[in-house]
Amino acid sequence: MTERKPPGVSFESFVDRQIGEAAARGDFEKLPGYGKPLASLDAPYDELWWIKGKLHREGFSALPPALALRKEAEDAREAVRAARSERRVREVLAEINDKIRAALRMPPPGPPLNLTEFDVEHEVAAWRACAPDRA
Protein backbone atom coordinates (compact mmCIF):
# COMPACT_ATOMS: atom_id res chain seq x y z
CA MET A 1 0.00 0.00 0.00
CA THR A 2 1.25 3.45 -0.81
CA GLU A 3 1.98 5.76 2.06
CA ARG A 4 0.53 9.25 2.25
CA LYS A 5 2.62 12.21 1.24
CA PRO A 6 3.94 13.83 4.38
CA PRO A 7 3.14 17.50 4.86
CA GLY A 8 5.86 19.90 3.79
CA VAL A 9 7.33 17.50 1.18
CA SER A 10 6.90 18.40 -2.45
CA PHE A 11 4.88 16.00 -4.55
CA GLU A 12 7.75 15.56 -7.04
CA SER A 13 10.32 14.57 -4.43
CA PHE A 14 7.83 12.23 -2.73
CA VAL A 15 7.10 10.42 -5.99
CA ASP A 16 10.80 10.36 -6.96
CA ARG A 17 11.63 8.72 -3.60
CA GLN A 18 8.95 6.05 -4.10
CA ILE A 19 10.19 5.31 -7.62
CA GLY A 20 13.77 5.05 -6.36
CA GLU A 21 12.76 2.63 -3.59
CA ALA A 22 10.79 0.46 -6.05
CA ALA A 23 13.75 0.38 -8.45
CA ALA A 24 16.09 -0.60 -5.61
CA ARG A 25 13.74 -3.47 -4.68
CA GLY A 26 13.74 -4.61 -8.33
CA ASP A 27 10.00 -4.12 -8.80
CA PHE A 28 10.47 -2.85 -12.36
CA GLU A 29 12.50 -5.88 -13.45
CA LYS A 30 9.42 -8.12 -13.27
CA LEU A 31 7.40 -6.06 -15.73
CA PRO A 32 6.67 -7.48 -19.19
CA GLY A 33 9.00 -6.04 -21.80
CA TYR A 34 11.72 -5.17 -19.27
CA GLY A 35 14.99 -4.46 -21.06
CA LYS A 36 13.39 -4.38 -24.51
CA PRO A 37 13.06 -1.30 -26.70
CA LEU A 38 9.67 0.34 -27.00
CA ALA A 39 7.93 -1.00 -30.11
CA SER A 40 6.33 2.31 -30.98
CA LEU A 41 9.44 4.44 -30.49
CA ASP A 42 9.92 5.14 -34.22
CA ALA A 43 6.23 5.21 -35.12
CA PRO A 44 4.57 8.56 -35.82
CA TYR A 45 2.35 9.88 -33.04
CA ASP A 46 -1.20 8.58 -33.14
CA GLU A 47 -3.83 10.00 -30.79
CA LEU A 48 -5.78 6.73 -30.84
CA TRP A 49 -2.80 4.43 -30.12
CA TRP A 50 -4.33 3.01 -26.95
CA ILE A 51 -7.71 2.32 -28.60
CA LYS A 52 -6.05 0.53 -31.49
CA GLY A 53 -3.89 -1.47 -29.08
CA LYS A 54 -6.92 -2.49 -27.02
CA LEU A 55 -8.85 -3.58 -30.12
CA HIS A 56 -5.85 -5.61 -31.28
CA ARG A 57 -5.41 -7.31 -27.88
CA GLU A 58 -9.13 -8.16 -27.76
CA GLY A 59 -9.05 -9.64 -31.26
CA PHE A 60 -11.55 -7.17 -32.68
CA SER A 61 -11.59 -6.97 -36.46
CA ALA A 62 -12.48 -3.81 -38.29
CA LEU A 63 -12.82 -5.73 -41.55
CA PRO A 64 -16.16 -5.86 -43.33
CA PRO A 65 -17.94 -9.18 -42.67
CA ALA A 66 -17.15 -10.56 -46.14
CA LEU A 67 -13.43 -9.89 -45.76
CA ALA A 68 -13.44 -11.22 -42.21
CA LEU A 69 -14.96 -14.49 -43.47
CA ARG A 70 -12.33 -14.70 -46.21
CA LYS A 71 -9.64 -14.26 -43.55
CA GLU A 72 -11.30 -16.90 -41.41
CA ALA A 73 -11.27 -19.30 -44.40
CA GLU A 74 -7.53 -18.69 -44.82
CA ASP A 75 -7.01 -19.33 -41.11
CA ALA A 76 -9.03 -22.55 -41.42
CA ARG A 77 -6.77 -23.71 -44.25
CA GLU A 78 -3.74 -23.07 -42.02
CA ALA A 79 -5.41 -24.94 -39.15
CA VAL A 80 -6.01 -27.90 -41.46
CA ARG A 81 -2.32 -27.98 -42.39
CA ALA A 82 -1.34 -27.94 -38.71
CA ALA A 83 -3.96 -30.48 -37.59
CA ARG A 84 -2.68 -33.68 -36.01
CA SER A 85 -5.66 -35.88 -36.76
CA GLU A 86 -8.15 -36.41 -39.56
CA ARG A 87 -10.94 -35.85 -37.08
CA ARG A 88 -9.63 -32.34 -36.32
CA VAL A 89 -9.32 -31.60 -40.06
CA ARG A 90 -12.96 -32.55 -40.56
CA GLU A 91 -14.06 -30.46 -37.53
CA VAL A 92 -12.27 -27.35 -38.80
CA LEU A 93 -13.68 -27.76 -42.30
CA ALA A 94 -17.21 -28.44 -41.06
CA GLU A 95 -17.13 -25.30 -38.92
CA ILE A 96 -15.91 -23.00 -41.70
CA ASN A 97 -18.24 -24.62 -44.25
CA ASP A 98 -21.21 -23.85 -41.98
CA LYS A 99 -20.20 -20.19 -41.87
CA ILE A 100 -19.61 -20.03 -45.63
CA ARG A 101 -22.95 -21.72 -46.30
CA ALA A 102 -24.75 -19.18 -44.10
CA ALA A 103 -22.97 -16.30 -45.83
CA LEU A 104 -23.88 -17.65 -49.26
CA ARG A 105 -27.55 -17.88 -48.27
CA MET A 106 -27.59 -14.31 -47.01
CA PRO A 107 -24.57 -12.38 -48.34
CA PRO A 108 -23.00 -10.02 -45.84
CA PRO A 109 -22.62 -6.32 -46.63
CA GLY A 110 -19.41 -5.18 -48.21
CA PRO A 111 -17.34 -6.54 -51.07
CA PRO A 112 -18.34 -9.75 -52.86
CA LEU A 113 -17.74 -12.89 -50.83
CA ASN A 114 -15.90 -14.86 -53.56
CA LEU A 115 -15.90 -18.03 -51.43
CA THR A 116 -17.14 -21.54 -51.98
CA GLU A 117 -17.39 -24.33 -49.48
CA PHE A 118 -14.33 -26.50 -48.95
CA ASP A 119 -14.47 -29.98 -50.49
CA VAL A 120 -13.86 -31.94 -47.29
CA GLU A 121 -12.73 -35.18 -48.95
CA HIS A 122 -10.34 -33.32 -51.25
CA GLU A 123 -8.85 -31.37 -48.33
CA VAL A 124 -8.49 -34.54 -46.22
CA ALA A 125 -6.68 -36.26 -49.11
CA ALA A 126 -4.37 -33.24 -49.49
CA TRP A 127 -3.73 -33.27 -45.73
CA ARG A 128 -2.78 -36.95 -45.89
CA ALA A 129 -0.53 -36.34 -48.89
CA CYS A 130 1.49 -33.72 -47.00
CA ALA A 131 2.84 -36.39 -44.65
CA PRO A 132 2.75 -40.08 -45.60
CA ASP A 133 2.54 -41.18 -41.95
CA ARG A 134 -0.93 -39.56 -41.69
CA ALA A 135 -2.60 -42.14 -43.95
Side-chain angles (χ1 to χ4, degrees):
M1 179 104 169
T2 320
E3 61 187 81
R4 285 186 171 265
K5 181 181 86 59
V9 176
S10 73
F11 185 75
E12 289 80 15
S13 62
F14 176 70
V15 170
D16 286 339
R17 184 176 55 85
Q18 286 186 323
I19 291 172
E21 290 171 359
R25 287 192 306 265
D27 290 349
F28 299 124
E29 295 173 11
K30 300 171 189 153
L31 296 174
Y34 175 76
K36 298 178 186 169
L38 296 173
S40 62
L41 199 58
D42 295 328
Y45 178 72
D46 182 7
E47 291 180 358
L48 302 176
W49 64 270
W50 64 274
I51 293 174
K52 292 176 181 175
K54 176 71 172 169
L55 293 174
H56 178 72
R57 286 190 304 277
E58 296 295 326
F60 178 78
S61 173
L63 291 174
L67 296 181
L69 186 57
R70 282 193 219 167
K71 173 72 172 117
E72 201 170 338
E74 290 175 20
D75 293 345
R77 192 176 296 277
E78 290 297 320
V80 164
R81 286 190 195 114
R84 297 189 176 270
S85 69
E86 182 177 328
R87 178 179 174 205
R88 181 65 188 143
V89 171
R90 291 181 183 278
E91 287 173 356
V92 168
L93 292 173
E95 183 179 324
I96 192 65
N97 277 346
D98 287 344
K99 291 180 180 182
I100 292 172
R101 207 173 298 120
L104 290 173
R105 276 194 306 268
M106 183 174 284
L113 193 56
N114 293 338
L115 277 178
T116 58
E117 293 182 47
F118 287 94
D119 180 352
V120 176
E121 296 308 319
H122 180 302
E123 295 294 331
V124 168
W127 175 80
R128 283 186 192 137
C130 287
D133 60 328
R134 292 178 176 168

